[in-house]
Amino acid sequence: MKTNRRDFIKLSSLGLGAITLSSPFFWMKENKPLDDSKAKRYPTYCEVCFWKCAGWVYTNEEGKIWKIIGNEEDQHSNGRFCPRGTGGPGQYYDKDRITQPQMRVTKDGVDTFEPVSWDVALDFIAKKLHKIGRKYGPECTALFSHGSGGKFLGTVLKAFGSNNITAPSYAQCRGPREVGFFGTFGKGVGSPEPLDIRDTRCLVLIGSHLGENMHNGQVQELSQAIDKKATIITVDPRFSTVASKSKYYLPIKPATDIALLLSWIHVIIYEELYDAKYVEKYTYGFEQLKEHVKTFTPEWAYGITTITPEVIRKTAHEMGAASPATIIHPGRHVTWYGDDTQRLRAVAILNALLGSWGRKGGFYMPEKKKMKGYPHPPFPVPKRTWRDAFPGKYELAGLALASGICDATVPTIERDCSFKAWIVNGTNLIKTLPNRENTLKAIQSLDLLVVIDTMPVEITGYADVILPECTYLERYDMIRTAGHRKPAIALRVPATEPIGETKPDWWIAKSLAKKMGLERYFADPNPADNTYDTWIEKVLDWQLKKAGTSLEEMKKIGVKTYERKFDDLFFLPNEDVSFNTNTGKIELYSTSFAEAGFDAMPVYTPHPEPPQGFYRLNYGRAPMHTFGRTINNPNLNALMSENALWVNPKVAKAEDIENGQYVWLENQDGKTSSFSIKVRVTERIRWDSLYMVHGFGHDAKKMKRAHGKGAADSELITNVMIDPIMGGTGMRGNFIKILTEQPNKEVQS
Ligand SMILES: Nc1nc2c(c(=O)[nH]1)N[C@H]1C(S)=C(S)[C@@H](COP(=O)(O)OP(=O)(O)OC[C@H]3O[C@@H](n4cnc5c(=O)[nH]c(N)nc54)[C@H](O)[C@@H]3O)O[C@H]1N2
Ligand SMILES: Nc1nc2c(c(=O)[nH]1)N[C@H]1C(S)=C(S)[C@@H](COP(=O)(O)OP(=O)(O)OC[C@H]3O[C@@H](n4cnc5c(=O)[nH]c(N)nc54)[C@H](O)[C@@H]3O)O[C@H]1N2
Ligand code: SF4
Ligand SMILES: [Mo]
């Protein structure tokens, strides 16, 4: 049997996933089968991040999880898991997991959690939701969900009469990108990003720190592109891993990217480096754009960005020479400074000028397999949605805003609809939403907070009811259908029994629906056999049969890849293409933005600079962790147990601090970090910023391995720069100073 260890190390040797696995994880050693041929394998897709790589979970003769590897058929993983995915089963083995439903009770005037049965917990939730529904309307309930199970709970909420369903992956992540690209191409980017990186000849990364951001297929393609000598241009105030692999590294002054992008557009237009035929055939507003960028010369941008005119011109020429096989990467976490939709418009415009949308080595047109949903009665039509809380605002937002629903939960005199109940599934809003004080204020005004999680994370501490979900290794889930070069589906089945009282989301949702009198929305394809616990198998089998396969077949293959319906991965030469915009063209001048009262073409506006003694708070990813969700995973914690504060040597000198010293942080609003963080003195960060990996500094005490380790960026993000176009929460306008003494000693435990 083949393991993926060789491939895993091969990736690492490029330095992109800068991590080595010195010895296999403990369960891989302990649970190795005596006879490998007796091992069983179960198809899954990984839930450690949102790339959702398909793979195989192997169990030994006793049914214990031995290892997890990629599925060779899968376009997301190409048969190889990233370090986080390989260590994913650590989540299953984590002794700190929540294993039983719990309810908040008051004993002797003190709130505490009491273990309860599922029956009691669901009964309480159902009654409370109905009470809230009768009093305020079902629209006053919301579901926050990030991860696979949201679909089932979403059905409960919609059946109840609310469509306030939201994920932080929009307004805290990729929302501005989707709106910026939609305003240009009439189509968002989507996930996985349809980038033909393996065949690109020039890749421009603007803050996308691929290699630390470990989205698997993309990192693999980046390795291929590097091997094929593609030009990599990295723009980042921090010398990221990929910056070290780049031909050009542009250490931009933070918050000035729009100026750089505009001057690149200037050079590409005025030095005629653009794809003239493509621009002529497919785009609208070229002359307006040309006029708009007339004065945005590299000399103008130099004064703003600190990138020299020579480098700006040279890199623009590289992009032009490789066109159309040039990708200006659209990034993913793009909620930086509040003008992010416009920055992403500029990125989209550059791609359009270089003719890379719909072209080999640029953006391909993904195809998705549509699965038929099992029929259910129509959902009631809600009388209100989250949008009613924001009249005339964020109208271009395509999805509900997690931060918006949070804001609208805090009662104000003007607002007649506040949210009264939240169901929070697989998102740790305390560490995820900016401005924690505001999140807590919202939570305090709720009548009901239900949290469904696998771990006792921060948000569980505020819940009225905590429901323990089993991990992805112990459950069935929806079919994964994300689009790719070819349409494909992937199946997840349980590889082992759920531990304790943990249950899968589908079961939780269906059981809650039953308690609420809404079970008809979870109809059984074969009620005669009366087996509640196999409902999901029956539904999946029904769906899969409609898609030309079956549950039985999918258990054997895990992934099924279909041929494309149309040969339209890329535009054909001279093909007539109609875009889903007002003009039917790629809009360099966005008519929809203009109609909505926004700039039709991006403009640069200066952002505040750190005051004396303060530095800009910058944050990002580490290859072996996903946000805060993996910090307590015994495997991944062993690879990195705390984050460090990246400090430029000049700053270290000025602040009189040294490498390895622990410090505390205080932001512009006087908010201090709860825990200390270790200093890492390095030239790899500009002197105007300090950098840390997001996700650390857990204050939840029950997460024993993670508690108190490192500092939390989210605690220090109190200034939120909201994007007026779509409500994204810009989080990089916070300034911090270094404290060598522990602040607020008396309140620390
Ligand atoms: N300060 C700051 N804030 C950020 C970011 C940042 O970099 N810095 N990044 C932003 C971005 S890009 C995003 S996408 C969001 C992500 O935000 P979140 O999705 O909230 O990320 P996590 O903090 O990892 O929370 C995931 C939660 O899901 C739980 N979980 C894991 N597996 C399962 C499961 O199978 N079932 C259930 N029910 N729960 C599970 C974990 O225990 C954890 O509590 O955060 C955004 N917010
Ligand atoms: N290992 C791992 N991989 C992940 C995740 C994870 O948690 N762990 N999360 C996934 C998710 S949901 C997302 S959204 C992505 C996020 O990954 P990306 O989209 O790549 O994230 P960003 O936060 O945009 O990028 C962080 C980089 O931006 C740089 N930066 C900061 N300020 C500026 C600036 O003003 N200008 C420029 N040009 N650069 C700047 C930082 O120095 C850092 O290198 O990662 C995904 N991949
Ligand atoms: S990229 Fe890694 S963590 Fe994310 S789904 Fe794939 S294997 Fe899992
Ligand atoms: Mo994200």
Side-chain angles (χ1 to χ4, degrees):
M1 223 166 287
K2 191 171 174 287
T3 76
N4 71 336
R5 200 158 128 70
R6 181 183 303 279
D7 293 325
F8 177 81
I9 288 165
K10 192 172 119 205
L11 251 189
S12 312
S13 68
L14 273 171
L16 283 169
I19 170 176
T20 46
L21 186 61
S22 51
S23 61
F25 300 125
F26 64 88
W27 39 271
M28 288 170 90
K29 282 190 275 186
E30 278 171 18
N31 298 338
K32 188 170 172 5
L34 297 172
D35 174 357
D36 282 9
S37 68
K38 296 264 165 60
K40 282 202 177 122
R41 68 173 199 181
Y42 300 88
T44 192
Y45 52 90
C46 177
E47 185 80 12
V48 183
C49 88
F50 312 101
W51 205 252
K52 295 197 167 61
C53 297
W56 297 105
V57 187
Y58 283 81
T59 58
N60 68 10
E61 293 91 340
E62 292 170 49
K64 289 191 171 155
I65 294 172
W66 161 37
K67 66 175 182 184
I68 186 166
I69 65 170
N71 184 322
E72 301 276 344
E73 276 300 304
D74 179 36
Q75 298 169 96
H76 295 230
S77 70
N78 305 307
R80 308 200 287 264
F81 267 22
C82 88
R84 297 167 299 155
T86 308
Q91 186 191 353
Y92 165 78
Y93 288 109
D94 194 334
K95 297 253 182 331
D96 294 343
R97 279 174 66 177
I98 38 178
T99 56
Q100 184 156 20
Q102 294 170 53
M103 271 173 61
R104 176 182 293 270
V105 290
T106 312
K107 276 191 179 154
D108 305 326
V110 182
D111 275 11
T112 173
F113 285 110
E114 199 169 72
V116 291
S117 67
W118 277 98
D119 193 52
V120 169
L122 294 174
D123 208 49
F124 174 83
I125 299 167
K127 287 196 175 118
K128 192 88 185 187
L129 282 174
H130 275 309
K131 195 170 164 196
I132 291 167
R134 280 193 301 272
K135 195 161 170 196
Y136 306 101
E139 300 86 353
C140 288
T141 56
L143 169 67
F144 295 77
S145 181
H146 199 196
S148 309
K151 186 89 172 69
F152 299 108
L153 289 153
T155 301
V156 182
L157 209 76
K158 285 190 256 177
F160 183 49
S162 165
N163 62 7
N164 298 311
I165 299 170
T166 187
S169 49
Y170 191 72
Q172 283 63 55
C173 180
R174 62 193 173 82
R177 175 187 90 177
E178 299 306 305
V179 177
F181 272 64
F182 194 85
T184 314
F185 298 105
K187 195 175 173 204
V189 177
S191 179
E193 290 80 11
L195 308 175
D196 194 21
I197 296 179
R198 67 184 186 200
D199 283 322
T200 199
R201 292 198 294 129
C202 178
L203 177 66
V204 184
L205 298 165
I206 301 172
S208 312
H209 55 332
L210 281 180
E212 286 153 289
N213 156 358
M214 275 305 276
H215 277 165
N216 195 349
Q218 229 176 93
V219 178
Q220 293 181 27
E221 291 203 19
L222 174 61
S223 305
Q224 283 173 282
I226 291 173
D227 285 348
K228 292 203 283 188
K229 306 273 183 287
T231 300
I232 314 290
I233 300 168
T234 297
V235 183
D236 197 313
R238 183 183 65 99
F239 191 67
S240 58
T241 304
V242 68
S244 68
K245 306 281 155 201
S246 303
K247 181 165 174 192
Y248 298 92
Y249 166 52
L250 282 55
I252 194 167
K253 180 172 168 182
T256 66
D257 296 79
I258 295 183
L260 174 67
L261 287 158
L262 288 171
S263 75
W264 269 338
I265 296 174
H266 171 96
V267 178
I268 283 167
I269 291 182
Y270 284 93
E271 299 191 24
E272 296 184 355
L273 304 171
Y274 58 95
D275 185 334
K277 264 200 193 151
Y278 183 99
V279 167
E280 159 102 34
K281 187 161 175 66
Y282 296 127
T283 70
Y284 169 83
F286 180 74
E287 288 308 322
Q288 285 112 307
L289 179 68
K290 189 171 177 181
E291 187 56 30
H292 177 66
V293 298
K294 201 169 176 180
T295 55
F296 302 142
T297 59
E299 285 68 24
W300 166 81
Y302 173 46
I304 299 168
T305 61
T306 73
I307 308 299
T308 62
E310 192 202 351
V311 169
I312 296 177
R313 286 206 170 84
K314 254 195 192 162
T315 44
H317 278 265
E318 291 268 8
M319 291 178 220
S323 153
T326 300
I327 300 172
I328 322 300
H329 195 296
R332 189 176 179 102
H333 172 61
V334 291
T335 45
W336 298 356
Y337 303 109
D339 51 4
D340 307 301
T341 305
Q342 290 292 11
R343 187 180 71 254
L344 272 297
R345 268 273 298 151
V347 168
I349 289 170
L350 258 185
N351 280 302
L353 291 173
L354 295 163
S356 66
W357 183 264
R359 307 287 280 284
K360 193 170 164 74
F363 290 70
Y364 64 80
M365 299 294 118
E367 197 174 303
K368 187 173 170 162
K369 178 77 188 163
K370 284 212 172 73
M371 299 296 284
K372 224 172 146 46
Y374 194 74
H376 59 70
F379 295 122
V381 181
K383 293 192 190 70
R384 295 187 301 265
T385 76
W386 67 273
R387 287 189 194 270
D388 294 302
F390 302 98
K393 282 172 116 180
Y394 318 137
E395 281 170 358
L396 296 183
L399 294 174
L401 310 174
S403 39
I405 291 182
C406 180
D407 291 348
T409 301
V410 181
T412 63
I413 296 164
E414 307 95 66
R415 200 164 24 233
D416 54 358
C417 168
S418 300
F419 289 91
K420 293 290 176 189
W422 289 2
I423 300 175
V424 177
N425 176 49
T427 167
N428 185 9
L429 297 177
I430 307 295
K431 286 178 84 70
T432 295
L433 295 179
N435 194 352
R436 185 174 296 187
E437 213 172 297
N438 187 57
T439 310
L440 293 178
K441 226 191 256 171
I443 288 175
Q444 298 308 344
S445 24
L446 289 172
D447 287 357
L448 176 69
L449 174 58
V450 179
V451 177
I452 305 167
D453 209 292
T454 53
M455 293 296 297
V457 291
E458 284 72 11
I459 183 89
T460 60
Y462 298 93
D464 296 299
V465 188
I466 306 170
L467 302 177
E469 195 181 11
C470 55
T471 68
Y472 64 108
L473 301 158
E474 305 158 278
R475 68 181 194 234
Y476 282 105
D477 245 308
M478 299 299 295
I479 301 292
R480 188 203 76 188
T481 57
H484 217 285
R485 288 182 173 98
K486 285 184 174 181
I489 56 172
L491 174 70
R492 173 188 286 165
V493 309
T496 181
E497 288 289 307
I499 63 156
E501 295 286 311
T502 62
K503 293 282 188 190
D505 259 336
W506 71 260
W507 185 94
I508 300 172
K510 182 171 161 66
S511 307
L512 179 60
K514 190 173 176 188
K515 289 269 185 207
M516 293 176 76
L518 300 169
E519 210 193 4
R520 60 189 182 282
Y521 290 92
F522 289 80
D524 195 325
N526 183 12
D529 69 4
N530 199 23
T531 48
Y532 190 88
D533 284 344
T534 56
W535 172 81
I536 187 75
E537 292 177 1
K538 290 184 273 181
V539 170
L540 290 174
D541 193 45
W542 181 91
Q543 269 193 312
L544 290 167
K545 284 190 173 133
K546 297 266 173 211
T549 174
S550 66
L551 185 57
E552 197 188 342
E553 186 193 38
M554 285 299 289
K555 280 186 178 171
K556 289 186 198 125
I557 57 177
V559 169
K560 188 173 172 74
T561 310
Y562 297 82
E563 286 311 313
R564 289 178 74 94
K565 276 210 183 113
F566 304 100
D567 180 20
D568 61 352
L569 186 65
F570 300 112
F571 301 166
L572 301 173
N574 266 324
E575 184 184 348
D576 288 328
V577 181
S578 172
F579 297 86
N580 180 28
T581 54
N582 289 333
T583 56
K585 301 260 182 192
I586 298 172
E587 295 198 349
L588 304 175
Y589 176 100
S590 171
T591 57
S592 56
F593 278 34
E595 269 168 19
F598 301 112
D599 291 320
M601 290 172 293
V603 287
Y604 167 73
T605 23
H607 291 295
E609 308 257 335
Q612 184 69 31
F614 283 81
Y615 307 90
R616 189 179 294 273
L617 170 60
N618 182 4
Y619 55 81
R621 312 278 176 249
M624 60 296 265
H625 281 292
T626 303
F627 314 115
R629 65 163 60 202
T630 54
I631 313 293
N632 210 68
N633 173 319
N635 300 147
L636 303 178
N637 185 279
L639 297 175
M640 180 181 182
S641 62
E642 61 185 304
N643 58 355
L645 184 73
W646 293 36
V647 182
N648 182 280
K650 265 198 241 166
V651 175
K653 197 163 169 222
E655 299 286 337
D656 196 19
I657 52 170
E658 3 177 290
N659 208 19
Q661 181 179 349
Y662 280 86
V663 296
W664 289 260
L665 302 165
E666 179 175 338
N667 81 355
Q668 72 283 340
D669 296 325
K671 181 79 189 79
T672 51
S673 62
S674 297
F675 306 108
S676 59
I677 182 168
K678 198 182 198 170
V679 169
R680 172 182 173 191
V681 179
T682 170
E683 291 281 0
R684 297 175 66 153
I685 179 92
R686 283 174 58 106
W687 56 267
D688 50 10
S689 315
L690 298 168
Y691 175 82
M692 68 172 81
V693 170
H694 166 65
F696 288 86
H698 274 285
D699 36 26
K701 291 203 170 124
K702 289 178 183 158
M703 311 244 291
K704 294 193 201 72
R705 240 169 267 108
H707 173 74
K709 292 287 175 61
D713 59 340
S714 21
E715 253 188 327
L716 301 164
I717 299 176
T718 50
N719 178 36
V720 187
M721 301 156 96
I722 297 192
D723 191 324
I725 301 181
M726 52 62 67
T729 53
M731 306 202 272
R732 294 218 173 111
N734 288 269
F735 307 123
I736 48 175
K737 67 177 176 191
I738 297 170
L739 309 175
T740 49
E741 294 284 323
Q742 180 176 355
N744 314 321
K745 257 189 193 156
E746 62 284 2
V747 295
Q748 301 263 320
S749 56

